[in-house]
Amino acid sequence: MPQPDVIQQPGAVFTTRTPRVVAARRLQRRRDRDETGRFLAEGPQAVREALAAGAVVEVFCTTDAYARHAELLQRVDRVSAVDDDALAALTETVQPQGLVAVCTQRDVPLADALRKAPRLVAVCADIRDPGNAGTVLRTADAAGATAVIFAGDSVDPYNGKAVRASAGSLFHVDVVRARSAQATVDALRDAGLRVLAADGYGESDLFEMSDLDRPTAWLFGSEAHGLPDDLKHAADARVRVPILGGAESLNLAAAAAVCLYASAKALKASKESM
Amino acid sequence: MPQPDVIQQPGAVFTTRTPRVVAARRLQRRRDRDETGRFLAEGPQAVREALAAGAVVEVFCTTDAYARHAELLQRVDRVSAVDDDALAALTETVQPQGLVAVCTQRDVPLADALRKAPRLVAVCADIRDPGNAGTVLRTADAAGATAVIFAGDSVDPYNGKAVRASAGSLFHVDVVRARSAQATVDALRDAGLRVLAADGYGESDLFEMSDLDRPTAWLFGSEAHGLPDDLKHAADARVRVPILGGAESLNLAAAAAVCLYASAKALKASKESM
């Protein structure tokens, strides 16, 4: 049952002009996300994952959504009722399901992520499309990667579209942001990871790789230009997903799924045989 | 070098009000695509692939684009110069690269596609997002599938966004549209294909499948609801891509990439050992 007293200003329903709503809405801009270290996550699934990760600062919801998600929202310290216009202003989807959370960004330094001795890592270098960034996060998480590194001039992983495409995985993995892709490759190798560059023209065929059961970091480049040359050459090998039909290439997210799952399968088999 | 006389109305540059441009523009609507059996494909890569497939009816291009792509356009029977506004009206991308082709739709009846004894087929059932439909087409083509079937209430594969996401693969594979998904499964099985349903809750683990080297048709369901129950049960097995991390599921295009490439690898290995 809804517990109206959990809504912190009894009787007050925030509008688009309420200062707290105005402040939260600014998090749709990268500059404000960078300055505050916060971001927005929409819908009950994201709120649930954010709560599990201890990342929720506050939640705005309609009174209808409060009634539907009372159990979930009782676990949030600060819940505020908003009118429909305020909810629409805070969200970007057509059906935001009535609630949106302000969350703290979850970046960890690369050294912290590597200290956990990850066996599978994804590195996104210069990825510009937020939907692709979020999809790679989701796929990497599903494949058992424990860290996803956004290197170089990549999109902000806390962009609203990236958050939605990640479907909660942003809250599961170590998110690392690294300015220098080259220094990242060095650090990955120092941590005992083999560094493989996904490259449509790579000299190694993914199907022929025999030692994918070693701890591996996969490098994925931009949608338009692939990996920059220096990064390709910094990797231990350049691996192509073989193209068996008439297509010229795979798109980024599909190539990442095939590569990460090839590693996942080999790593799982080696773990089970130990 | 540009050959101005190839532009069929010398001196005439079509505008948004020229009847042929008006007629072509209507192909942005599904109803008009369905009625005419035609669709639009933007950019030089798509025109090249459409030409190779014998699917080009005519091309509209700016005079600038004509100069850049003269060699390509000399292979087109009917090329018309359009002004920038007309090109913008005919295209949906920010940078359409100055040319757009009217193409004939390439559907073949299911029986024709199956007569070629395909070893890998993708079936999209009730897929609604045109970007996903195009991406699955591209990935299926890359994995060596020779037919992609859009069954049930799927999006129109000739939708502009689907055409762009397919990156030319729409012109490489047999595109089949089938109203009844159930009848499609029966026909696939009669043609000797094993029918596997991609299902996040399937009883078979993709990593444990030992006989992916048999000719296979993969069924993929909608983004929101997965496969309908009757189709799941009509398949020979329900196969899940194992989730090794915290993610709840993979998105449709990623799951399709992993499944199709698992088959591609097994089929390639079995072919090589023959």
Side-chain angles (χ1 to χ4, degrees):
Chain A
M1 290 297 291
Q3 302 289 322
D5 58 283
V6 176
I7 301 223
Q8 302 211 331
Q9 284 77 11
V13 173
F14 289 172
T15 72
T16 52
R17 302 207 287 192
T18 306
R20 283 240 307 287
V21 173
V22 172
R25 192 178 174 182
R26 286 205 195 99
L27 297 175
Q28 288 167 350
R29 298 192 304 209
R30 176 159 193 173
R31 202 187 66 193
D32 288 82
R33 289 195 299 271
D34 286 348
E35 277 174 8
T36 59
R38 295 181 171 182
F39 68 106
L40 297 171
E42 301 174 13
Q45 189 206 356
V47 171
R48 194 170 294 116
E49 309 273 357
L51 269 172
V56 174
V57 176
E58 64 178 319
V59 168
F60 298 98
C61 69
T62 60
T63 49
D64 279 1
Y66 190 82
R68 281 197 306 277
H69 302 289
E71 202 184 339
L72 174 68
L73 293 171
Q74 279 168 14
R75 295 157 49 202
V76 179
D77 289 336
R78 190 175 207 178
V79 179
S80 303
V82 292
D83 64 21
D84 289 344
D85 286 347
L87 187 86
L90 285 167
T91 55
E92 294 171 345
T93 41
V94 183
Q95 295 175 311
Q97 300 182 270
L99 64 172
V100 54
V102 175
C103 302
T104 49
Q105 296 189 7
R106 309 193 55 259
D107 298 21
V108 299
L110 180 58
D112 289 7
L114 294 179
R115 207 167 291 133
K116 298 180 191 167
R119 302 176 77 218
L120 187 58
V121 172
V123 182
C124 299
D126 302 336
I127 292 184
R128 302 297 167 85
D129 180 79
N132 277 340
T135 300
V136 172
L137 252 168
R138 178 177 177 182
T139 304
D141 177 24
T146 49
V148 178
I149 302 170
F150 293 88
D153 201 14
S154 280
V155 70
D156 179 14
Y158 301 105
N159 167 299
K161 202 176 163 192
V163 174
R164 288 195 298 282
S166 90
S169 289
L170 188 61
F171 298 109
H172 302 154
V173 300
D174 283 335
V175 175
V176 177
R177 287 201 277 183
R179 205 104 280 279
S180 161
Q182 183 69 59
T184 303
V185 169
D186 294 341
L188 290 164
R189 197 179 285 118
D190 288 348
L193 289 148
R194 186 160 61 150
V195 180
L196 298 180
D199 173 7
Y201 302 96
E203 74 277 3
S204 303
D205 179 330
L206 181 71
F207 287 177
E208 314 287 330
M209 302 285 286
S210 56
D211 48 356
L212 287 173
D213 56 349
R214 288 175 50 191
T216 298
W218 278 101
L219 307 182
F220 303 110
S222 84
E223 301 81 0
H225 308 292
L227 282 165
D229 277 346
D230 55 345
L231 264 192
K232 265 190 220 173
H233 295 296
D236 298 313
R238 287 140 294 282
V239 182
R240 68 176 187 282
V241 177
I243 302 291
L244 304 163
E248 200 178 288
S249 63
L250 286 168
N251 78 3
L252 168 63
V258 174
C259 292
L260 289 165
Y261 262 92
S263 287
K265 185 178 179 180
L267 287 164
K268 186 160 183 271
S270 90
K271 203 171 171 183
E272 282 164 1
S273 70
M274 279 197 306
Chain B
M1 290 296 291
Q3 302 290 321
D5 59 282
V6 176
I7 301 221
Q8 302 210 329
Q9 284 77 10
V13 173
F14 288 172
T15 71
T16 51
R17 302 205 287 194
T18 305
R20 283 241 308 288
V21 174
V22 172
R25 191 177 177 183
R26 286 204 194 100
L27 297 174
Q28 288 167 352
R29 297 191 304 208
R30 178 161 192 171
R31 201 187 64 192
D32 289 82
R33 289 194 299 271
D34 286 348
E35 277 174 8
T36 60
R38 295 181 171 182
F39 67 106
L40 297 171
E42 301 174 14
Q45 190 206 355
V47 172
R48 195 170 294 117
E49 309 273 357
L51 269 172
V56 175
V57 176
E58 65 177 319
V59 168
F60 298 99
C61 69
T62 61
T63 49
D64 280 1
Y66 190 82
R68 281 198 305 278
H69 302 289
E71 203 184 338
L72 174 68
L73 293 172
Q74 279 168 11
R75 296 158 49 204
V76 179
D77 289 336
R78 189 174 208 179
V79 179
S80 304
V82 293
D83 65 20
D84 290 344
D85 285 348
L87 187 86
L90 285 167
T91 54
E92 293 172 344
T93 41
V94 183
Q95 296 175 309
Q97 301 180 271
L99 64 174
V100 55
V102 174
C103 301
T104 48
Q105 297 189 8
R106 310 193 56 260
D107 298 21
V108 299
L110 180 57
D112 289 6
L114 294 179
R115 207 167 290 132
K116 299 181 191 168
R119 302 177 75 220
L120 187 58
V121 172
V123 182
C124 299
D126 301 338
I127 291 185
R128 303 296 168 88
D129 179 79
N132 277 341
T135 300
V136 172
L137 252 168
R138 178 177 176 181
T139 304
D141 177 23
T146 49
V148 177
I149 301 168
F150 292 88
D153 201 13
S154 279
V155 70
D156 179 13
Y158 301 105
N159 168 298
K161 202 175 164 192
V163 174
R164 288 196 298 283
S166 90
S169 290
L170 188 60
F171 298 108
H172 303 154
V173 300
D174 282 336
V175 175
V176 177
R177 287 200 277 184
R179 204 104 281 278
S180 160
Q182 183 69 59
T184 303
V185 169
D186 294 341
L188 290 164
R189 197 180 285 118
D190 288 348
L193 289 149
R194 186 161 61 151
V195 180
L196 298 180
D199 173 6
Y201 301 96
E203 74 277 4
S204 302
D205 180 331
L206 181 71
F207 287 177
E208 315 285 331
M209 301 286 286
S210 56
D211 47 357
L212 287 173
D213 55 350
R214 289 175 49 191
T216 298
W218 278 100
L219 306 182
F220 303 110
S222 84
E223 301 82 0
H225 308 293
L227 283 165
D229 277 346
D230 53 346
L231 265 192
K232 265 190 221 173
H233 295 297
D236 297 314
R238 286 139 294 281
V239 182
R240 67 178 187 280
V241 177
I243 303 290
L244 304 162
E248 200 178 288
S249 63
L250 286 168
N251 77 4
L252 167 64
V258 175
C259 292
L260 289 165
Y261 262 93
S263 286
K265 184 177 178 181
L267 287 163
K268 185 161 183 271
S270 90
K271 202 171 172 183
E272 281 164 3
S273 70
M274 279 198 305

